[in-house]
Amino acid sequence: MKYLTIIISIIALGLMIFNFTKVNFSAPFKDDSLIALITILASLCVILMMLILRVSKRIEQKTKERN
C-alpha cells in the first residue's frame, strides 16, 4: 500500500507540473488554461488524499501494535 500511494502521488505531481506549463498567465480563466487549473487543483487533492491515507494506515498499525 505504501508503494502504491507513493506512485500515485508521483503521477499526480507529474500531471500538475505538465498542466502548469499549459496555463496562459495572461488569461488564466479561458479555454485550455481553465482546464489546466482544474487539473492542477485535482492533482493537489489527490496528493492530499494519499497523504491522509498514509497517515491513517500508520495510525491503524500503531493501534494494532498496542493491542
Side-chain angles (χ1 to χ4, degrees), residues 8-47:
I8 291 173
S9 297
I10 290 171
I11 291 170
L13 183 65
L15 279 172
M16 190 169 36
I17 292 169
F18 173 74
N19 283 302
F20 190 72
T21 62
K22 298 293 182 183
V23 176
N24 182 5
F25 291 106
S26 62
F29 297 111
K30 291 196 176 197
D31 300 329
D32 289 340
S33 293
L34 182 62
I35 294 170
L37 289 174
I38 291 170
T39 309
I40 290 170
L41 183 63
S43 297
L44 285 172
C45 290
V46 168
I47 292 171

